[in-house]
Amino acid sequence: MGPGADGTPRRVLVVSADMGGGHHATGRALEESVERHWPGSEVRWIDTLDTMGSWVGPLFRRVYVANVQTTPWLYEFFYAMLWRHRWFATAAKSTLAAWAGRRLATEVERFDPDLILSTYPLGSAGLSWLRRHRLLPVPVGAWVSDFAPHPFWLYRDLDATFVMHPAALPAAELAEPGIAARATVPTVERRYYPGDPQLERPELGLPADRFVVLVTCGAYAFGAVTEAVDALLAAAGPIQVVVACGRNERLRAALRARGLPAERLLPLGWVADTAPLVRAADLVVTNAGGATSLEALATGRPVVMFRPIAAHGAANAALMGLSGLSETCSTAAQLTALVSARAAAGGSGGAESTAVKEYLDGHDAALDLPALAASAPPAPPPAIASGQIRPVRRAWPLRPPDSFFLHVQTRSITQQVGAVITAEPEPGAAPLTADVLVERIAAALPVLTTLRRRVVPRGGWLRPGWVVDPAIRVADHVHEVVAADDAEQAAALDRFWSEPVSLRRPPWQLLVVRRAGDSGSAGCTLAFKMHHAIGDGLSLIGTLDRILETPGRRTPRRRGAPSPRSRTLKGMAFQASRVVRGMWELGTNAGAPRHPLNRELTANRRGVVTVPLPTEQVRAAARRHRARSSEVLLGVLAEALHRAGVADGAAPDRLRTMLPVAMASASGARTAGNQTGVVSVDLPVGPMTVTERIQRIRGDLHRRMDLGEPHAAAFVMRALGMFPAPVHAWMSQRVYNSQFFNMIASYIPGPLQQRRIAGHRLTAVYPVVALAEGVPLGIGIMRYAGVTGVCVLYDESLRGIAGPLATALRSAFADALAQGR
């Protein structure tokens, strides 16, 4: 759902990257803050580099490490160019922003967040591009995990950029004039807090009578770490040097090879929780000034920067020194002298201790996230708000699977998906009216771009595009009908599904059907539809979910960063072979049997019939037949079609049925995009038992799935988009008709938890599928809470079999429940 009535973000997206450990560390701290402020909100992570391409992360990490260790002069040159030449910074940022933004678009759209938190520069760049080009409507904040910001960190299109000290604000304004920068304190996890070193050391096995110096230089442990160790070992006094080597096993092996006792030199490998180690130290030596320094400052440990790494490391050290928060040693002799003096003083205090305390006490970080979440959605640019022609140039192209459904639409065959929903009031609830729904949708609309999208032509050979309509009136999309009886209600629903959604405005509509004289004590029926170009059945669920009241957490939460994507050559070869096998299957079994069911559709005259089935009984039937619920229901559908007489006379005894298959997880509850493949299954409609039908369908379906038919169909949908728009349209129209399938069926595993809206409990959801040329029958099935809803959408020419088919569905299901093993 969208933000709660109190403005609570229910979906928070963390945009980070596996580049060292600092960006993920900041992300974990922000996730902790979300949990404190808004318990129950869902947090999801995106790794920017993984999203940009499976090869991008490894390449960028190699380049970064090589620049710091081998060619620091090149890194310094690039860093200096960013500051000295605005044109260079603008060009570099714009190029990478467009790359990252286009790749992030799908992920952001899939999760549909209420709040976005970025901890990585390229992630912020991509989000800035999305804000400019696609009017990203939710609050977006960026956290600079370096002490000193540089131009690549900063984008004024974002709602807030948080720097780690007030001294960094002038640099941010200089690098990006007009940026909404705010100063905060170290954004670190709560486990990094000030404490007594002597309380931590027994658990870590560290001596209580030594001056402990922790050398920690991030996950890669690069830079002059060996030189720092040499300088510290040369210092006078009882000093223990603890080195956090991170993932640098070569460094750890070299230090252990020295053979020194642990009370003098203790090299450690990867430490999952460094907070106790930092608190146990008297002094922290580092060289980058990123998350490691922030964690040390948050625990109140004094920080010494030794031979800072090139570019941003040197800048961080300079600004921390100017702020009185650290000291910088450029030579080994300086570090030896400083540590000798500190050890002789017998404590960890220093001139910077007061500055660190004032720094930590100078800002209430608890205010950062609520202030960001309360930010108003960005206003549309004047050219868009004034209705000029320029919005078309700002349109972003529809994905090929989405534009496919624009191309196959005709005057008599509208491509719209939706649902019929029954609702019952809870005690004391007011009537569910159009006005109530308008208010509810209007509240969610600022962060729900799905319902603000409008299709625009882009001209010539280009695919159509989307723009976000800034002036949508919800009341134009929500209507109400008062019906005297069941017949009037059925007629109202038939009219609703017969009328196409307008493409001159955001293509969706909602209808409320109430009974005459209803004072709120009786239930009502809702009908929601949107153009198929917006999305598929899973998108429909996600969109409805954003409007409804969803109690509790939606999915299990997982703390921390996303798992890296693993794409091996073996895995890629397997996927490719599956597509090839699926293409062969599609090619050799392409044609559908000629069937009298298929006919030219009546222009915009449709009817709907709904049949509720108890979900527990569906599961019981599945167990009896040792099949999936979807397979049992397809068998029941085949039996009902047989009983309704579709195979009478010379008609073929099978119906080629197009069955959409989700190609992406529904856990994100996305609200836009068609991400489905298709598998064709032959429903046997000749004489046989229900059990025989189920088993035959199960075997046919498993064979086609194993051969990769859905993957091949999804590949074809994407590949068609490589052609110019007119060619794409011509080819789409020739593969989506009765030559290839006789009917359409869709099974959607909807939410198990019951939804509510404005005091009304939704009791059943019946999905409505779109028809195709020559295909006048579509069956939608959705499992929702305790009811599995079956919805029959038919062309007017099939009205004579609609009633018998609904009756046959009930009796066929009863037989399926009684039969089986």
Side-chain angles (χ1 to χ4, degrees), residues 17-25 28 61 65 69 216-222 243-253 268-272 561-562 564:
D18 182 14
M19 180 66 77
H23 305 290
H24 283 348
R28 288 192 296 271
R61 285 187 284 272
V65 173
Q69 291 186 317
T216 173
C217 297
Y220 298 123
F222 51 37
V243 186
C245 299
R247 296 188 176 95
N248 194 336
E249 285 300 320
R250 181 178 298 180
L251 171 65
R252 185 186 183 194
L268 303 174
W270 177 258
V271 179

Side-chain angles (χ1 to χ4, degrees), residues 707-728:
L707 287 172
E709 195 171 296
H711 298 82
F715 174 80
V716 170
M717 291 279 279
R718 293 192 301 269
L720 288 177
M722 298 172 59
F723 294 94
V727 179
H728 185 196

Side-chain angles (χ1 to χ4, degrees), residues 346-357:
S348 61
E352 68 273 19
S353 296
T354 302
V356 171
K357 187 176 186 306

Side-chain angles (χ1 to χ4, degrees), residues 28-290:
R28 288 192 296 271
L30 292 173
E31 184 175 2
E32 274 190 351
S33 187
V34 170
E35 290 175 348
R36 291 197 304 274
H37 288 295
W38 307 300
S41 295
E42 182 180 1
V43 179
R44 182 156 299 190
W45 288 64
I46 291 177
D47 188 301
T48 308
L49 298 179
D50 280 350
T51 303
M52 292 171 69
S54 59
W55 55 272
V56 175
L59 176 63
F60 278 33
R61 285 187 284 272
R62 272 193 225 102
V63 170
Y64 175 57
V65 173
N67 276 337
V68 171
Q69 291 186 317
T70 309
T71 57
W73 59 269
L74 182 60
Y75 191 27
E76 285 281 7
F77 174 77
F78 177 75
Y79 190 83
M81 287 285 287
L82 290 175
W83 279 102
R84 291 175 185 171
H85 303 289
R86 187 172 296 279
W87 66 266
F88 177 77
T90 300
K93 290 167 66 175
S94 298
T95 300
L96 290 172
W99 179 8
R102 287 187 171 90
R103 292 304 188 99
L104 286 172
T106 300
E107 300 297 328
V108 172
E109 191 173 74
R110 179 178 290 122
F111 184 54
D112 201 11
D114 305 317
L115 179 66
I116 302 178
L117 315 175
S118 174
T119 68
Y120 184 60
L122 291 188
S124 300
L127 295 169
S128 173
W129 185 89
L130 287 175
R131 172 61 59 79
R132 290 195 309 275
H133 292 269
R134 305 193 182 179
L135 297 183
L136 185 64
V138 300
V140 181
W143 271 256
V144 179
S145 55
D146 278 330
F147 201 82
H150 56 74
F152 246 108
W153 270 113
L154 307 168
Y155 300 88
R156 60 175 173 269
D157 298 294
L158 306 185
D159 298 288
T161 298
F162 293 88
V163 297
M164 296 299 111
H165 195 277
L169 291 173
E173 178 64 28
L174 178 64
E176 189 70 18
I179 190 172
R182 305 176 189 176
T184 184
V185 290
T187 305
V188 300
E189 296 175 80
R190 297 182 73 183
R191 57 187 175 176
Y192 292 95
Y193 57 84
D196 186 348
Q198 297 301 327
L199 296 178
E200 301 287 350
R201 292 185 182 181
E203 290 291 329
L204 299 172
L206 300 179
D209 58 349
R210 285 188 172 267
F211 187 83
V212 177
V213 180
L214 174 63
V215 181
T216 173
C217 297
Y220 298 123
F222 51 37
V225 179
T226 303
E227 292 86 338
V229 171
D230 291 338
L232 293 170
L233 292 175
I239 296 173
Q240 181 186 35
V241 182
V242 180
V243 186
C245 299
R247 296 188 176 95
N248 194 336
E249 285 300 320
R250 181 178 298 180
L251 171 65
R252 185 186 183 194
L255 295 178
R256 293 178 67 176
R258 296 189 179 194
L260 295 176
E263 60 268 18
R264 283 290 288 149
L265 177 62
L266 179 61
L268 303 174
W270 177 258
V271 179
D273 183 7
T274 60
L277 194 60
V278 176
R279 275 193 300 275
D282 294 297
L283 184 70
V284 175
V285 175
T286 186
N287 61 7

